Amino acid sequence: MKAENDQRTGLLYGFASYGMWGIVPLFWPLLQPAGAIEILAHRMVWSLAVVAVALLALRRWAWMAELLRQPRKLALTTVAAALVTVNWGVYIWSVNNGAVVEASLGYFINPLVTIALGVLVLGERLRRIQWAAVAIAVAAVLVLAVGYGRPPWISLILAFSFALYGLIKKQLGMGGLESLTAETVIMFLPALGYLLWLGSRGESTFTTQGTGHAALLASAGLVTAIPLICFGAAAIRVPLSTLGLLQYMAPIFQFGLGVLYFHEAMPPARWAGFSLVWVALSILTWDALRTAHRTRTLRLEALSAPLPAPLPAVLPTPARETA
């Protein structure tokens, strides 16, 4: 009963996290006239404030000294911070410049890019059906390049930066709150320096657009941290296969907002490209579910198999032959 309640709670946290990520395109336009880099800098600065309060409440500081004693781990954390900065910056810019649909495509193809990196970097082997999904995704990108009249750079940058970020996070093995803190600490001084420089030039909107605008910029920290906290709560309560299905919620919501709310153009070539991506994801999801079901069945069969009869503690003494 407790396990069922935990899984139900985990699903609610999962829906909350991916739902918030899905509707976040509605938030970034509220921060205009601030530019994408200024918004990103505020996101970094205020995110650190939010996670610092969380760590103070949880009293989780010991990991910092351990991180500083490991130069390789610190270097990888710095690379992860740079990648997530690129990802956040490009995403904010795309939303505020009428490219929500193209941004959503980046998160649709992200699982496929992650699989490709697994092959190229980690030497993983793919099943035939996974190769088929990757091939369809490549065809989709080519079709979309024709539709846009150029490669879908925004989608590719978002997909590859987040996939590489995930690869590094896998190697680091740090918790969500700890890794976000480390990344924002690394980017804090450059972000704060940029905001101070912007203010010295009289180009900062934080102090010139009123209290409401300043509060919205500061709330970027909460917009960053709350979905991540919900995601962390979901990850420890629901199976990874379920979490993998939930991740499609965010780009679906983003795509819907781009088409229905922001009224971005969707000519036939783009519909064709997106359709191919969705076919590839459907194949990938079906294969993942089938593999998870097969693994679970084999595990249950192994657990239910009868144990071999134990050997006697003392072997019987053979009878002596009599003449």
Side-chain angles (χ1 to χ4, degrees):
M1 188 67 177
K2 185 180 182 298
E4 291 181 4
N5 289 336
D6 276 351
Q7 189 161 353
R8 191 178 298 112
T9 302
L11 282 172
L12 291 175
Y13 277 122
F15 280 118
S17 62
Y18 285 110
M20 284 185 278
W21 280 327
I23 63 173
V24 79
L26 297 174
F27 176 73
W28 303 124
L30 299 178
L31 305 185
Q32 293 176 337
I37 299 179
E38 182 181 1
I39 295 171
L40 176 63
H42 277 287
R43 187 176 188 179
M44 289 289 183
V45 169
W46 296 109
S47 292
L48 180 58
V50 172
V51 295
V53 170
L55 287 174
L56 186 62
L58 297 171
R59 298 182 180 180
R60 283 158 57 176
W61 302 100
W63 60 271
M64 288 187 176
E66 183 183 347
L67 178 62
L68 291 173
R69 288 194 297 266
Q70 301 180 60
R72 180 180 177 276
K73 199 169 185 179
L74 188 59
L76 284 174
T77 303
T78 304
V79 175
L83 286 168
V84 79
T85 300
V86 170
N87 186 271
W88 286 357
V90 171
Y91 184 74
I92 293 168
W93 182 91
S94 64
V95 170
N96 285 352
N97 285 271
V100 176
V101 168
E102 191 174 349
S104 73
L105 175 65
Y107 295 106
F108 274 125
I109 65 176
N110 175 67
L112 296 156
V113 174
T114 299
I115 287 176
L117 287 177
V119 174
L120 297 174
V121 179
L122 302 179
E124 295 178 356
R125 299 183 65 180
L126 299 186
R127 295 181 289 276
R128 289 182 181 179
I129 196 163
Q130 290 175 312
W131 277 116
V134 172
I136 292 171
V138 172
V141 171
L142 294 176
V143 170
L144 287 163
V146 173
Y148 280 104
R150 58 171 175 77
W153 293 117
I154 292 172
S155 307
L156 294 174
I157 291 171
L158 289 175
F160 276 91
S161 61
F162 202 72
L164 287 167
Y165 175 71
L167 180 65
I168 292 174
K169 296 268 278 191
K170 182 179 177 66
Q171 294 175 340
L172 285 171
M174 293 173 65
L177 184 60
E178 290 82 356
S179 61
L180 178 62
T181 304
E183 290 153 14
T184 49
V185 165
I186 289 168
M187 299 309 300
F188 176 78
L189 287 179
L192 183 61
Y194 176 78
L195 292 176
L196 293 174
W197 175 79
L198 209 60
S200 69
R201 293 169 56 90
E203 298 176 4
S204 171
T205 65
F206 185 71
T207 56
T208 60
Q209 297 295 317
T211 306
H213 179 73
L216 281 172
L217 283 172
S219 68
L222 289 172
V223 170
T224 300
I226 291 176
L228 283 170
I229 292 170
C230 290
F231 173 78
I236 62 175
R237 288 176 171 88
V238 299
L240 207 59
S241 57
T242 304
L243 211 59
L245 290 176
L246 288 177
Q247 74 174 335
Y248 297 128
M249 279 180 59
I252 288 171
F253 282 6
Q254 293 163 10
F255 176 80
L257 286 173
V259 174
L260 302 175
Y261 182 81
F262 293 103
H263 304 293
E264 294 183 17
M266 281 294 293
R270 291 183 196 173
W271 279 114
F274 269 87
S275 298
L276 285 173
V277 169
W278 294 332
V279 168
L281 290 177
S282 299
I283 292 172
L284 201 63
T285 302
W286 174 77
D287 179 65
L289 291 174
R290 184 188 62 166
T291 303
H293 176 71
R294 184 183 300 165
T295 303
R296 188 163 53 249
T297 302
L298 290 173
R299 188 182 296 119
L300 289 173
E301 288 176 354
L303 290 172
S304 61
L307 295 174
L311 292 172
V314 178
L315 293 175
T317 304
R320 292 183 180 180
E321 291 184 3
T322 57

